[in-house]
Amino acid sequence: MVVEILAVGTELLLGNIANTNAQYLSRRCAALGFSVYHHTVVGDNEKRMTEAIKQALGRSDIVILTGGLGPTEDDMTKEVCAKVMGFSLEEDARTRKRISAYFKASRRKDITKNNWKQAVVPVGAKVLDNNNGTAPGLILERDGKTAILLPGPPGELEPLFSEQAEPYLRTLRPETIYSKMVKVCGIGESRAETMILDLIDSQTNPTIATYAKTGEVHLRVTAMASDEEQAKSLVKPVVKELKKRFGVNIYSTREEEELEDAVVKLLKKYGLTVTTAESMTGGMLAGRLVNVAGASECFREGFVTYSNKAKRKLLDVSKSTLKKYGAVSSQTAREMAKGGVFATGADACIAVTGFAGPEDSKEEPKGLVYVSCYLGDEVFVEECHFTGNRMKIRQQAVVRALDLLRRCILEQYHEK
Amino acid sequence: MVVEILAVGTELLLGNIANTNAQYLSRRCAALGFSVYHHTVVGDNEKRMTEAIKQALGRSDIVILTGGLGPTEDDMTKEVCAKVMGFSLEEDARTRKRISAYFKASRRKDITKNNWKQAVVPVGAKVLDNNNGTAPGLILERDGKTAILLPGPPGELEPLFSEQAEPYLRTLRPETIYSKMVKVCGIGESRAETMILDLIDSQTNPTIATYAKTGEVHLRVTAMASDEEQAKSLVKPVVKELKKRFGVNIYSTREEEELEDAVVKLLKKYGLTVTTAESMTGGMLAGRLVNVAGASECFREGFVTYSNKAKRKLLDVSKSTLKKYGAVSSQTAREMAKGGVFATGADACIAVTGFAGPEDSKEEPKGLVYVSCYLGDEVFVEECHFTGNRMKIRQQAVVRALDLLRRCILEQYHEK
């Protein structure tokens, strides 16, 4: 079955925002086993919207429309779509009540006549209750074609889709789709693909899709079968094979788990605390740890030591090391990690020093980075060579440092 | 004149990446005074690509195609577009030479037969030399319609567009377009719009477009005229009026200058150094400062004090303050900023403490944040109430802290 994603919004055509909804919906549709052949964006213009909806319904089975469901006159996705598909409009009492309650709960008193426009729905449409905004989602079916209308703000669209549109879409497929994510760190995308080329080449069901992320590769294994149990049993051996091939480089098999989540989980599991000592990442590494709600249990303090003087004063890096080997050296990285532990009493310290650019330095090319990890009276140092701009190099350094800590914990604490 | 953006790439339809090229090109086209009515995405499929190109050329004057110019068999944007527009293909000697030189310079020896496919161009096309990759950009003109083909990677597309496609597009317009960016901080988008509603409502030439960014609002003033001087003279009084209305809230009128750039520039101008003391932002604030190449001149070290104990030890926040007012209080924020200065000898310190969520804390709702700035023996504290998720709240706190420092410097050092 073919799905098409049609976004409505002049703000997209002006480049005010990127069409991240299309990315989100495409990923979810791929995971559900639907094919997406077209994304289209049109503005808040009746004529062009009418043409785009007609064309999309003509060539696809399901059209997901995003945006244009707001209370203003410009917002006309619902009206135009209903007209094209031959639905009349009527106020929905339940939706009016929900909007009323929504305004009450968010203590907003600026409810205007316009807002009730959002309670009007196509007669016969399925209404999807929006718990994060006023505009309801809508499903319209006619002549074997389906239109799904979702509000534009991602904070409203995503829960509406995953909680209500996705279960509906599952009913349209005779087969069940089941997919599992395998998140890999410390291996580049092309090397990861080479390592599983035989699996990718011979795949039919399940399939393996690879997604590159800064410093990471995500692999999605998707199977189709007549019921969930069967689909799961198809996915299982492939995931097992991936685990065998990527081993310790896999940090998670959970969709929503980020690298920092996996690291904080391991720290908590073994009752460890960590501190950070950062030069060129300048706080980004600590910032990633604090992304995790509840990181305070294992992360209490961190140091940004951008200058040599700060490295000496806060981390006790020796003057002779800095002079002899320079600030960007495995020796300095080693002393930074040690110094972090001694300054804080934490069980572990991760440290980063390197050249982020934009220009090559006098001594070394940009992209040369040392990450180190002190744990259990040992210090591990990794020399890395990253490419890309200043920000990209720093982001890769952060990922590598988190991953080094993760692997050190596994090495020392994990019962094999 | 109407421009359409047509992206080619199965990775977009799978949701592997977002179509950020369409956003970039739309913004640039808007700044050049072109109207964009459609974005389209199709996969690496000849039939659908042919239909999409025909449709786009039928309804728009200029079609910008992105992606599908790589060396593999899947890449066929050039071939399909040439076929639709009636161009034959031929190897371009200059491009072959450039690709050869590119491989040599990047010390890559893996040049294959496939790569020479990228030296083949439509006969009569304008060839745009790509300095950041192998695929050239191409401009095809026929029957009053223009197709501009650009490679997909943003690191190749953006310089090719701004250095070569943009000057070409300017020649297609009888008028000259001139635009100026006004970047505002510390005022929400809707309040900013309200403050200039009269200007927006009465605008024809120049126009004012507003773009919201986390904690910031960007205003682009664009004028059209017969020559650049005249266009500039139209923009000037509007920018002057915006400066009058937004005053100190404007941190820059330069397109490429970020808030952290403006802050570091001010610090350097007055020979000041700064340190950071962060709780809930956990290093993100320091990380923003280090985004600026050359920040080391004014930023040497920073503290992440996530726990109360760390606040006491590293910043000398008093036990009684933490006990009496709590870690999230103006009193604690004040002592953090003071403590940062005393611990480092820097001229200034910016500090952040707050509740980022995800849940409301026992005492206070999430989103309550105190930012403070110590400068010239004075401490300024701001109480903020942010909405959004954990990350959004922390990002807003970082912006507010940077902006507080900026305004403190202006207040104390700027000669009026």
Side-chain angles (χ1 to χ4, degrees), chain A residues 167-203:
Chain A
Y168 166 83
L169 286 171
R170 284 183 192 277
T171 66
L172 299 187
R173 294 194 55 87
E175 313 93 359
T176 299
I177 293 284
Y178 177 77
S179 78
K180 188 93 188 157
M181 191 64 120
V182 176
K183 297 188 171 185
V184 172
C185 202
I187 293 181
E189 192 191 12
S190 55
R191 211 184 118 215
E193 278 184 352
T194 312
M195 284 169 69
I196 53 167
L197 209 59
D198 56 318
L199 299 177
I200 292 177
D201 279 348
S202 65
Q203 67 183 1

Short mmCIF file of all heavy atoms in Angstrom, two decimals, chain A residues 167-203:
data_model
loop_
_atom_site.label_atom_id
_atom_site.label_comp_id
_atom_site.label_asym_id
_atom_site.label_seq_id
_atom_site.Cartn_x
_atom_site.Cartn_y
_atom_site.Cartn_z
N PRO A 167 -2.41 2.77 15.10
CA PRO A 167 -3.26 1.57 15.27
C PRO A 167 -4.27 1.43 14.13
O PRO A 167 -4.55 0.32 13.68
CB PRO A 167 -3.97 1.85 16.60
CG PRO A 167 -3.08 2.80 17.33
CD PRO A 167 -2.41 3.63 16.28
N TYR A 168 -4.79 2.57 13.64
CA TYR A 168 -5.71 2.52 12.50
C TYR A 168 -5.00 1.98 11.26
O TYR A 168 -5.52 1.11 10.55
CB TYR A 168 -6.28 3.92 12.24
CG TYR A 168 -6.97 4.04 10.90
CD1 TYR A 168 -8.30 3.63 10.74
CD2 TYR A 168 -6.29 4.54 9.79
CE1 TYR A 168 -8.92 3.71 9.50
CE2 TYR A 168 -6.91 4.62 8.55
CZ TYR A 168 -8.23 4.21 8.41
OH TYR A 168 -8.83 4.28 7.18
N LEU A 169 -3.80 2.48 10.97
CA LEU A 169 -3.06 2.05 9.79
C LEU A 169 -2.74 0.55 9.84
O LEU A 169 -2.76 -0.12 8.81
CB LEU A 169 -1.76 2.86 9.64
CG LEU A 169 -1.94 4.30 9.14
CD1 LEU A 169 -0.63 5.07 9.24
CD2 LEU A 169 -2.46 4.34 7.70
N ARG A 170 -2.48 0.07 11.05
CA ARG A 170 -2.20 -1.37 11.20
C ARG A 170 -3.38 -2.22 10.73
O ARG A 170 -3.20 -3.30 10.18
CB ARG A 170 -1.88 -1.71 12.66
CG ARG A 170 -0.49 -1.30 13.09
CD ARG A 170 -0.22 -1.75 14.53
NE ARG A 170 0.99 -1.12 15.03
CZ ARG A 170 2.22 -1.55 14.79
NH1 ARG A 170 2.40 -2.64 14.07
NH2 ARG A 170 3.27 -0.90 15.26
N THR A 171 -4.61 -1.70 10.97
CA THR A 171 -5.80 -2.47 10.58
C THR A 171 -5.95 -2.56 9.06
O THR A 171 -6.65 -3.42 8.56
CB THR A 171 -7.10 -1.85 11.16
OG1 THR A 171 -7.29 -0.56 10.54
CG2 THR A 171 -7.03 -1.69 12.66
N LEU A 172 -5.30 -1.63 8.34
CA LEU A 172 -5.42 -1.63 6.87
C LEU A 172 -4.53 -2.68 6.21
O LEU A 172 -4.64 -2.94 5.03
CB LEU A 172 -5.06 -0.26 6.30
CG LEU A 172 -5.91 0.94 6.73
CD1 LEU A 172 -5.51 2.16 5.93
CD2 LEU A 172 -7.39 0.64 6.52
N ARG A 173 -3.58 -3.20 7.00
CA ARG A 173 -2.64 -4.16 6.41
C ARG A 173 -3.06 -5.58 6.78
O ARG A 173 -3.35 -5.85 7.94
CB ARG A 173 -1.23 -3.92 6.98
CG ARG A 173 -0.64 -2.59 6.57
CD ARG A 173 0.83 -2.61 6.88
NE ARG A 173 1.45 -3.75 6.24
CZ ARG A 173 1.91 -3.74 5.00
NH1 ARG A 173 1.87 -2.66 4.28
NH2 ARG A 173 2.44 -4.83 4.49
N PRO A 174 -3.08 -6.47 5.80
CA PRO A 174 -3.39 -7.86 6.15
C PRO A 174 -2.29 -8.45 7.04
O PRO A 174 -2.56 -9.23 7.94
CB PRO A 174 -3.45 -8.56 4.80
CG PRO A 174 -2.76 -7.66 3.82
CD PRO A 174 -2.83 -6.27 4.38
N GLU A 175 -1.05 -8.03 6.81
CA GLU A 175 0.06 -8.59 7.61
C GLU A 175 0.33 -7.71 8.83
O GLU A 175 -0.02 -6.55 8.88
CB GLU A 175 1.37 -8.66 6.81
CG GLU A 175 1.26 -9.24 5.44
CD GLU A 175 1.04 -8.14 4.41
OE1 GLU A 175 0.95 -6.97 4.80
OE2 GLU A 175 0.94 -8.48 3.23
N THR A 176 1.02 -8.32 9.78
CA THR A 176 1.49 -7.58 10.94
C THR A 176 2.95 -7.21 10.70
O THR A 176 3.71 -8.00 10.14
CB THR A 176 1.39 -8.45 12.20
OG1 THR A 176 0.02 -8.78 12.38
CG2 THR A 176 1.92 -7.72 13.42
N ILE A 177 3.30 -6.01 11.11
CA ILE A 177 4.67 -5.56 10.97
C ILE A 177 5.29 -5.50 12.36
O ILE A 177 4.67 -5.01 13.31
CB ILE A 177 4.70 -4.14 10.38
CG1 ILE A 177 4.21 -4.16 8.95
CG2 ILE A 177 6.09 -3.53 10.46
CD1 ILE A 177 5.19 -4.70 7.97
N TYR A 178 6.47 -6.00 12.49
CA TYR A 178 7.17 -5.88 13.77
C TYR A 178 8.59 -5.45 13.47
O TYR A 178 9.23 -5.97 12.55
CB TYR A 178 7.16 -7.22 14.51
CG TYR A 178 7.93 -7.19 15.80
CD1 TYR A 178 7.40 -6.59 16.95
CD2 TYR A 178 9.21 -7.73 15.87
CE1 TYR A 178 8.12 -6.55 18.12
CE2 TYR A 178 9.94 -7.70 17.05
CZ TYR A 178 9.40 -7.09 18.17
OH TYR A 178 10.11 -7.05 19.33
N SER A 179 9.07 -4.46 14.19
CA SER A 179 10.46 -4.06 13.93
C SER A 179 11.21 -3.83 15.23
O SER A 179 10.62 -3.56 16.29
CB SER A 179 10.51 -2.82 13.04
OG SER A 179 10.22 -1.68 13.78
N LYS A 180 12.50 -3.97 15.14
CA LYS A 180 13.36 -3.86 16.31
C LYS A 180 14.56 -2.99 15.90
O LYS A 180 15.09 -3.13 14.81
CB LYS A 180 13.83 -5.26 16.70
CG LYS A 180 14.58 -5.33 18.00
CD LYS A 180 13.67 -5.65 19.17
CE LYS A 180 14.42 -5.54 20.49
NZ LYS A 180 13.53 -5.30 21.61
N MET A 181 14.96 -2.12 16.80
CA MET A 181 16.07 -1.23 16.52
C MET A 181 17.33 -1.76 17.18
O MET A 181 17.30 -2.19 18.33
CB MET A 181 15.71 0.15 17.09
CG MET A 181 16.62 1.27 16.67
SD MET A 181 16.53 1.53 14.89
CE MET A 181 15.96 3.22 14.87
N VAL A 182 18.45 -1.71 16.45
CA VAL A 182 19.74 -2.08 17.02
C VAL A 182 20.65 -0.86 16.87
O VAL A 182 20.91 -0.42 15.75
CB VAL A 182 20.34 -3.30 16.30
CG1 VAL A 182 21.73 -3.61 16.84
CG2 VAL A 182 19.43 -4.51 16.45
N LYS A 183 21.08 -0.27 17.99
CA LYS A 183 21.86 0.96 17.94
C LYS A 183 23.33 0.68 18.17
O LYS A 183 23.71 0.13 19.20
CB LYS A 183 21.32 1.96 18.96
CG LYS A 183 19.89 2.38 18.68
CD LYS A 183 19.47 3.51 19.60
CE LYS A 183 18.13 4.09 19.17
NZ LYS A 183 17.77 5.25 19.98
N VAL A 184 24.14 1.08 17.20
CA VAL A 184 25.56 0.75 17.19
C VAL A 184 26.39 2.02 17.33
O VAL A 184 26.04 3.07 16.78
CB VAL A 184 25.93 0.04 15.86
CG1 VAL A 184 27.43 -0.13 15.73
CG2 VAL A 184 25.21 -1.30 15.76
N CYS A 185 27.47 1.92 18.06
CA CYS A 185 28.34 3.06 18.31
C CYS A 185 29.80 2.66 18.07
O CYS A 185 30.17 1.51 18.31
CB CYS A 185 28.15 3.47 19.76
SG CYS A 185 28.64 5.14 20.04
N GLY A 186 30.62 3.60 17.62
CA GLY A 186 32.04 3.32 17.48
C GLY A 186 32.42 2.65 16.18
O GLY A 186 33.56 2.24 15.99
N ILE A 187 31.48 2.55 15.25
CA ILE A 187 31.74 1.98 13.92
C ILE A 187 31.08 2.90 12.91
O ILE A 187 29.93 3.29 13.09
CB ILE A 187 31.14 0.56 13.80
CG1 ILE A 187 31.86 -0.41 14.73
CG2 ILE A 187 31.22 0.06 12.36
CD1 ILE A 187 31.34 -1.83 14.64
N GLY A 188 31.79 3.28 11.86
CA GLY A 188 31.23 4.17 10.85
C GLY A 188 30.16 3.47 10.02
O GLY A 188 30.07 2.24 10.02
N GLU A 189 29.34 4.28 9.32
CA GLU A 189 28.22 3.71 8.57
C GLU A 189 28.69 2.75 7.48
O GLU A 189 28.15 1.66 7.33
CB GLU A 189 27.36 4.83 7.95
CG GLU A 189 26.04 4.28 7.43
CD GLU A 189 25.27 5.27 6.58
OE1 GLU A 189 25.83 6.30 6.18
OE2 GLU A 189 24.09 5.00 6.30
N SER A 190 29.72 3.17 6.73
CA SER A 190 30.09 2.30 5.60
C SER A 190 30.72 1.00 6.11
O SER A 190 30.48 -0.06 5.55
CB SER A 190 31.01 3.03 4.61
OG SER A 190 32.12 3.55 5.26
N ARG A 191 31.49 1.09 7.21
CA ARG A 191 32.06 -0.15 7.75
C ARG A 191 30.95 -1.05 8.30
O ARG A 191 30.97 -2.27 8.10
CB ARG A 191 33.09 0.14 8.86
CG ARG A 191 34.18 -0.95 8.90
CD ARG A 191 35.17 -0.78 10.02
NE ARG A 191 35.13 -1.91 10.93
CZ ARG A 191 35.31 -1.85 12.24
NH1 ARG A 191 35.54 -0.68 12.82
NH2 ARG A 191 35.26 -2.93 12.97
N ALA A 192 29.98 -0.43 8.96
CA ALA A 192 28.86 -1.21 9.50
C ALA A 192 28.13 -1.92 8.37
O ALA A 192 27.78 -3.10 8.47
CB ALA A 192 27.91 -0.30 10.27
N GLU A 193 27.90 -1.19 7.27
CA GLU A 193 27.19 -1.80 6.13
C GLU A 193 28.01 -2.95 5.53
O GLU A 193 27.46 -3.98 5.15
CB GLU A 193 26.88 -0.74 5.08
CG GLU A 193 25.62 0.04 5.42
CD GLU A 193 25.21 1.04 4.35
OE1 GLU A 193 25.99 1.25 3.40
OE2 GLU A 193 24.13 1.63 4.50
N THR A 194 29.33 -2.75 5.45
CA THR A 194 30.19 -3.80 4.90
C THR A 194 30.11 -5.06 5.77
O THR A 194 30.09 -6.18 5.26
CB THR A 194 31.65 -3.30 4.84
OG1 THR A 194 31.66 -2.01 4.24
CG2 THR A 194 32.52 -4.24 4.03
N MET A 195 30.04 -4.83 7.08
CA MET A 195 30.01 -5.97 8.01
C MET A 195 28.74 -6.81 7.89
O MET A 195 28.69 -7.95 8.37
CB MET A 195 30.13 -5.47 9.46
CG MET A 195 31.55 -5.06 9.83
SD MET A 195 31.58 -4.18 11.43
CE MET A 195 31.18 -5.52 12.57
N ILE A 196 27.69 -6.22 7.30
CA ILE A 196 26.44 -6.98 7.19
C ILE A 196 25.93 -7.01 5.75
O ILE A 196 24.74 -7.23 5.50
CB ILE A 196 25.34 -6.40 8.11
CG1 ILE A 196 25.15 -4.89 7.85
CG2 ILE A 196 25.67 -6.65 9.57
CD1 ILE A 196 23.88 -4.32 8.48
N LEU A 197 26.85 -6.79 4.82
CA LEU A 197 26.48 -6.72 3.40
C LEU A 197 25.75 -7.99 2.96
O LEU A 197 24.77 -7.93 2.22
CB LEU A 197 27.74 -6.51 2.54
CG LEU A 197 27.50 -5.75 1.24
CD1 LEU A 197 26.93 -4.37 1.51
CD2 LEU A 197 28.81 -5.62 0.46
N ASP A 198 26.24 -9.14 3.43
CA ASP A 198 25.60 -10.41 3.05
C ASP A 198 24.17 -10.48 3.55
O ASP A 198 23.27 -10.97 2.86
CB ASP A 198 26.42 -11.59 3.59
CG ASP A 198 26.60 -11.51 5.10
OD1 ASP A 198 26.87 -10.40 5.61
OD2 ASP A 198 26.48 -12.54 5.78
N LEU A 199 23.93 -9.93 4.76
CA LEU A 199 22.57 -9.93 5.31
C LEU A 199 21.67 -8.98 4.52
O LEU A 199 20.51 -9.28 4.24
CB LEU A 199 22.58 -9.50 6.78
CG LEU A 199 23.37 -10.37 7.77
CD1 LEU A 199 23.32 -9.76 9.15
CD2 LEU A 199 22.81 -11.79 7.79
N ILE A 200 22.22 -7.80 4.19
CA ILE A 200 21.44 -6.81 3.45
C ILE A 200 21.11 -7.33 2.05
O ILE A 200 19.98 -7.21 1.58
CB ILE A 200 22.19 -5.45 3.38
CG1 ILE A 200 22.27 -4.81 4.77
CG2 ILE A 200 21.51 -4.50 2.40
CD1 ILE A 200 23.05 -3.51 4.83
N ASP A 201 22.12 -7.92 1.40
CA ASP A 201 21.93 -8.40 0.03
C ASP A 201 20.90 -9.52 -0.07
O ASP A 201 20.15 -9.59 -1.04
CB ASP A 201 23.27 -8.87 -0.56
CG ASP A 201 24.10 -7.70 -1.06
OD1 ASP A 201 23.54 -6.58 -1.15
OD2 ASP A 201 25.29 -7.88 -1.34
N SER A 202 20.87 -10.37 0.96
CA SER A 202 19.97 -11.53 0.86
C SER A 202 18.63 -11.29 1.54
O SER A 202 17.80 -12.17 1.61
CB SER A 202 20.66 -12.74 1.50
OG SER A 202 20.81 -12.49 2.89
N GLN A 203 18.39 -10.06 2.01
CA GLN A 203 17.19 -9.80 2.81
C GLN A 203 15.93 -9.71 1.95
O GLN A 203 15.94 -9.15 0.86
CB GLN A 203 17.36 -8.50 3.59
CG GLN A 203 17.40 -7.28 2.68
CD GLN A 203 17.64 -6.00 3.46
OE1 GLN A 203 17.80 -6.00 4.66
NE2 GLN A 203 17.66 -4.89 2.76
#
